[in-house]
Amino acid sequence: MNQSILEHFKSKFWMKHVFYWIAFVLFFGLVWGISDDNYLRNIMIQICCLPSRMLLVYVTLFYLFPKFFNQKKYFSFFISYCVLVALTSVFIQRPLFLYFIQPNFLPEFKNNGFFILSEIMNTALDINIAAMIPIAYTYLTTIENLEKNNSKLNEENKLLKEDTVIHDNNDDAYINLKVDKSVRKIKINDIVFVESLRNYCKIKLNDSEITVLKTLTSVQELLPESKFVRIHRSFLINKDHMTSVSPSKIEINQMTIPVGRKYKDEVKEKLLLIHTRKQERNYSDI
């Protein structure tokens, strides 16, 4: 809540608030002034009513909206707002009107008592008017920001889908991955191995490493099966980078990775036999 207020002041958004309250006071002061030709008195009444109205507006904008409305807890937002209006009316606006505004600006007004339901309802409606425009503005701004964010995400997803190119026999083949807030082009041949970190994956490259918000399975689907083999529930390796292989472990990029029990047959079929045949060919060439 405090951070939101601070951000508003830093962005000079507070100037819009000041303009709104000045316009509000002048508008209703002039509207009520038409009835008795006493514009100054009605403007002063509107100024005196600002504490309760401003409390209602800013508690709603900086607390109820983030806590309930933005979290899609609409019923909780509605109930909380109604309670806030009732409390503000009874404990702030009503005493302010009866014990300050009425004696000083409306001495001819007849007081029928503090806890008169009709009077409390009128007070609630009166302070509620001030909140309608800010709430509507905040709601529309929230919807607009959500649409912008969704549009940006759709563009990024479209870029990821359309630009993900895989050619098994192409040394320049690459995939697009979202890293932080940008889309990064990764050469497939530069990928040494991929390690799962629960909902994230660490991708080890020739000269660096990156972390992406993807599961290991989703990354594996982007990579060619002819190059990459799953050897463990947490590891996917590029077989072009491995230096040695055995039924229980694989050495790749000066790192030893264990072979999972579930993946031993796949390692034997795709890596061990091929590696053995390659070595045999190398010996026969000698």
Side-chain angles (χ1 to χ4, degrees):
M1 180 175 174
N2 293 333
Q3 186 178 1
S4 299
I5 296 174
L6 186 61
E7 289 175 357
H8 276 69
F9 274 87
K10 284 183 178 180
S11 63
K12 295 185 178 180
F13 191 77
W14 60 273
M15 295 179 66
K16 294 182 180 179
H17 289 249
V18 172
F19 176 79
Y20 170 74
W21 289 116
I22 292 175
F24 184 90
V25 167
L26 291 177
F27 176 78
F28 283 97
L30 294 175
V31 168
W32 289 109
I34 293 175
S35 61
D36 58 6
D37 291 329
N38 195 335
Y39 295 101
L40 180 60
R41 181 181 70 173
N42 284 284
I43 288 175
M44 292 301 300
I45 291 174
Q46 296 302 316
I47 292 175
C48 293
C49 291
L50 283 180
S52 56
R53 290 168 174 169
M54 294 178 76
L55 177 69
L56 175 64
V57 168
Y58 293 117
V59 171
T60 302
L61 295 186
F62 296 115
Y63 181 75
L64 298 186
F65 250 91
K67 186 173 180 62
F68 298 114
F69 193 89
N70 292 348
Q71 304 301 322
K72 298 183 179 180
K73 299 177 181 178
Y74 302 123
F75 181 74
S76 298
F77 173 80
F78 175 75
I79 295 300
S80 301
Y81 180 76
C82 290
V83 171
L84 178 62
V85 171
L87 293 176
T88 307
S89 301
V90 173
F91 294 105
I92 298 179
Q93 180 65 10
R94 190 80 178 131
L96 185 65
F97 180 80
L98 291 178
Y99 303 120
F100 181 77
I101 295 176
Q102 182 182 338
N104 290 281
F105 300 105
L106 299 169
E108 70 280 3
F109 184 82
K110 292 183 179 180
N111 182 11
N112 296 321
F114 190 94
F115 292 103
I116 305 299
L117 184 60
S118 60
E119 295 294 334
I120 293 176
M121 291 295 294
N122 287 334
T123 302
L125 291 173
D126 180 60
I127 65 170
N128 189 59
I129 292 174
M132 290 297 98
I133 293 178
I135 289 175
Y137 176 82
T138 303
Y139 171 76
L140 293 175
T141 303
T142 302
I143 297 299
E144 183 181 1
N145 290 336
L146 285 174
E147 290 178 351
K148 288 181 179 178
N149 291 336
N150 289 336
S151 176
K152 185 177 180 180
L153 286 174
N154 289 335
E155 288 178 2
E156 289 179 351
N157 290 334
K158 184 179 179 181
L159 179 63
L160 286 171
K161 290 178 180 179
E162 291 181 353
D163 289 349
T164 298
V165 180
I166 299 177
H167 299 293
D168 291 353
N169 299 320
N170 188 349
D171 291 337
D172 293 326
Y174 65 89
I175 58 174
N176 282 330
L177 292 174
K178 187 177 180 182
V179 182
D180 294 328
K181 295 183 179 181
S182 61
V183 177
R184 182 172 171 180
K185 185 183 292 185
I186 309 295
K187 271 186 84 170
I188 291 175
N189 286 341
D190 289 343
I191 300 175
V192 179
F193 64 83
V194 185
E195 181 182 0
S196 173
L197 304 172
R198 293 190 177 180
N199 294 328
Y200 292 81
C201 276
K202 181 176 72 175
I203 300 178
K204 183 68 177 72
L205 305 175
N206 283 329
D207 54 359
S208 63
E209 64 181 40
I210 60 173
T211 302
V212 296
L213 183 58
K214 277 183 173 294
T215 62
L216 185 58
T217 301
S218 63
V219 174
Q220 184 177 3
E221 291 173 353
L222 297 174
L223 299 170
E225 294 182 6
S226 59
K227 285 182 176 289
F228 290 86
V229 180
R230 186 82 167 263
I231 65 165
H232 190 276
R233 66 179 182 178
S234 300
F235 285 96
L236 175 71
I237 69 160
N238 185 342
K239 63 184 183 180
D240 293 340
H241 287 274
M242 68 180 188
T243 53
S244 70
V245 58
S246 71
S248 61
K249 62 182 180 180
I250 288 174
E251 291 186 6
I252 186 169
N253 199 41
Q254 299 180 343
M255 178 177 177
T256 301
I257 302 176
V259 176
R261 184 181 304 174
K262 178 182 176 182
Y263 301 93
K264 286 185 181 294
D265 292 339
E266 187 175 2
V267 168
K268 182 179 179 181
E269 178 184 349
K270 294 185 177 181
L271 298 179
L272 193 59
L273 293 178
I274 294 174
H275 189 71
T276 303
R277 289 171 186 170
K278 187 182 294 185
Q279 285 183 327
E280 289 174 353
R281 283 198 301 269
N282 290 337
Y283 284 129
S284 63
D285 292 339
I286 295 174

